[in-house]
Amino acid sequence: MSVESIRKKIDAVDDELVDLLKARFDLSRAMGEEKKKIGRAVYDPAREAVLLARLEEKAAPYGPEVRALYEKMMELSRNLQD
């Protein structure tokens, strides 16, 4: 594969990822609204630990990289929920 063809594939994957991230952030905002209605805290460390472990295992051999991305994404999601 050439550099240009790989770049085109990366661009296509990035476009898909952005659409999925937007959907996830929309859901994070909705979750924040629901948590406020029921008086639940935004940060749930037990839930995040379970999620991170599951995704890290699923993403092997890229588990640590995916975990790092999700740690940041969850931080951003908590900010959207506040």
Side-chain angles (χ1 to χ4, degrees):
M1 247 190 289
S2 70
V3 169
E4 285 307 312
S5 67
I6 295 170
R7 283 182 178 160
K8 284 182 182 180
K9 289 181 181 215
I10 288 172
D11 289 346
V13 169
D14 285 344
D15 288 344
E16 290 179 49
L17 284 171
V18 167
D19 289 340
L20 291 170
L21 287 169
K22 286 169 51 179
R24 192 181 195 290
F25 288 141
D26 285 344
L27 290 167
S28 291
R29 283 189 173 180
M31 180 64 78
E33 291 171 11
E34 291 304 310
K35 285 179 178 179
K36 284 177 187 171
K37 286 180 189 174
I38 62 173
R40 183 181 255 175
V42 167
Y43 182 51
D44 184 347
R47 162 72 177 147
E48 287 192 15
V50 168
L51 179 64
L52 287 170
R54 180 180 69 82
L55 294 171
E56 187 171 7
E57 182 178 330
K58 180 181 174 95
Y62 304 108
E65 292 82 5
V66 167
R67 182 184 187 93
L69 285 169
Y70 265 86
E71 286 172 344
K72 184 61 177 179
M73 190 165 37
M74 288 190 292
E75 175 190 334
L76 296 169
S77 291
R78 286 191 304 271
N79 291 342
L80 288 172
Q81 290 182 35
D82 278 335

